[in-house]
Amino acid sequence: MLTCQRDKFFLPPEQHYLNCAYFSPLMRSVEAAGIDALRIEREPAQITPAMFFDGANRVRALFASLINGEADNVALIPATSYGIATIARNLKVSHGDNLVLIHEQFPSNVYSWHRLVESTGAIIRMVNGHGANWTQRILESIDYRTSVVAMGIVHWADGTFFDVAAIGKRARDVGAAFIIDGTQSIGALPFDVQEIQPDALVCAGYKWLMGPYGTGLLYVGERFLDGIPLEESWITRQGSENFDGLLNYTNQYRPGAIRFDKGQTVSFALTAMMIKGLEQVLDWQPEHIQNYCASLIADFLPSARNKGYEIISPCRSHLFGIGVPAHMNCQQLLKELAHREISVSLRGNAIRVSPNVYNNAADIDALQDVLLSAAK
């Protein structure tokens, strides 16, 4: 069973950081990997052509292992929005089609779809809901004019967990592309692309994947493997590993999802840090991370409910929303949490709590003390 991993991070003992959905603290090993990689650039003569490819390929393999996919289906991107924009560029949408989105999902998985409907005459169906009926409402919103279903596995603001297996099946039944933003779940929640079969899965690297800001991963299914990238980078072309032949221009991309890589794919420091983060998450395993978080909050959840707080459900242990009773001052509660050095986030109408393996019982006890005292 996984035990507390706080010693692998720089978190001070008095800080109760329950906010991985905002930003993961850097592990000591991740920071060290970035510093070591930066030092390589002191002497560019050390940088060989192979180094432009080896690190990126390692990232692809690690991420593919994490989601039970193929490394050739993974592209390195700088942000979730980049991945969503890439997919939106490669979709055929007609006038009168509809795109199914989730109410108040993160903007990175919204704005590209707005652009797409503006240029095609399609419409957006924004599906609202609450609790267990939200998945059902999504299923009911998908019909034979649906061209895209784009959503997260959990809602980024309050942790609502969606049945993406059922939604993905419905999308396939009508021929819609199923696009998942896994930023708030991949790395802390088991996920299998062979089972869920998304047409694309996009993740930022700096949250549950323990990587640095400015990194992300895009997994693409067969629907998009022959698509057009946002950038026309030299390194994604056939023969790019032969630096002597780069002036032999070609329209042929290297096989797989590499065509979707960002320019300057291997930022040496960021790539080295992402490798360390992914290696560690794979060593811990998302299932064990989820179980560890569940053990942390097992006593806290019923105590909070008994004091009138609503725990948004269905949810998972790594990310959940707490609805504050109407008679309480939410801003005052946030001030008290900050005073006790408890880091959480207010997202929409919910206090979002997102523990990880660096948290311990003292962190949860501090949160419980503030919430229960405020409810008296």
Side-chain angles (χ1 to χ4, degrees), residues 232-242 245-254:
E232 297 295 347
S233 173
W234 67 271
I235 202 169
T236 63
R237 300 297 175 127
Q238 287 277 23
S240 57
E241 65 278 3
N242 178 16
L246 292 180
L247 294 184
N248 298 323
Y249 305 133
T250 176
N251 291 326
Q252 299 299 311
Y253 296 104
R254 291 165 62 201

Side-chain angles (χ1 to χ4, degrees), residues 133-295:
N133 76 339
W134 208 342
T135 288
Q136 185 59 38
R137 294 195 64 176
I138 296 166
L139 291 169
E140 292 169 355
S141 298
I142 301 170
D143 60 28
Y144 284 92
R145 292 307 304 270
T146 301
S147 56
V148 179
V149 180
M151 60 183 296
I153 300 167
V154 301
H155 199 287
W156 76 286
D158 63 18
T160 299
F161 176 73
F162 301 107
D163 186 349
V164 291
I167 295 167
K169 182 179 184 304
R170 176 62 179 156
R172 289 192 296 277
D173 287 345
V174 302
F178 188 37
I179 315 303
I180 292 181
D181 176 2
T183 296
Q184 293 294 13
S185 50
I186 304 299
L189 192 64
F191 186 85
D192 188 330
V193 294
Q194 307 303 326
E195 175 190 358
I196 306 301
Q197 300 179 50
D199 293 294
L201 169 69
V202 188
C203 295
Y206 68 98
K207 299 180 188 283
W208 305 96
L209 296 180
M210 297 287 167
Y213 196 68
T215 56
L217 288 308
L218 168 63
Y219 171 89
V220 295
E222 294 299 321
R223 182 191 288 252
F224 295 113
L225 275 179
D226 294 326
I228 300 171
L230 289 184
E231 304 178 44
E232 297 295 347
S233 173
W234 67 271
I235 202 169
T236 63
R237 300 297 175 127
Q238 287 277 23
S240 57
E241 65 278 3
N242 178 16
F243 282 22
D244 294 337
L246 292 180
L247 294 184
N248 298 323
Y249 305 133
T250 176
N251 291 326
Q252 299 299 311
Y253 296 104
R254 291 165 62 201
I258 288 174
R259 68 182 61 204
F260 300 123
D261 279 2
K262 64 180 181 179
Q264 297 188 10
T265 306
V266 184
S267 169
F268 297 111
L270 295 182
T271 301
M273 296 168 79
M274 193 72 257
I275 288 170
K276 279 294 182 183
L278 286 168
E279 286 176 343
Q280 184 61 81
V281 170
L282 278 165
D283 183 60
W284 286 330
Q285 284 296 307
E287 180 181 4
H288 298 314
I289 294 171
Q290 193 67 206
N291 291 339
Y292 178 79
C293 293
S295 68

Side-chain angles (χ1 to χ4, degrees), residues 280-316:
Q280 184 61 81
V281 170
L282 278 165
D283 183 60
W284 286 330
Q285 284 296 307
E287 180 181 4
H288 298 314
I289 294 171
Q290 193 67 206
N291 291 339
Y292 178 79
C293 293
S295 68
L296 277 181
I297 64 174
D299 295 330
F300 164 75
L301 294 184
S303 296
R305 288 191 180 101
N306 289 339
K307 287 294 184 177
Y309 294 96
E310 178 191 9
I311 307 300
I312 312 299
S313 62
C315 64
R316 292 298 179 264

Side-chain angles (χ1 to χ4, degrees), residues 5 42 52 64-65 75 150 166 191 200 277 285 294 329:
Q5 304 292 304
R42 291 175 177 175
F52 285 84
S65 179
F191 186 85
Q285 284 296 307
N329 186 322

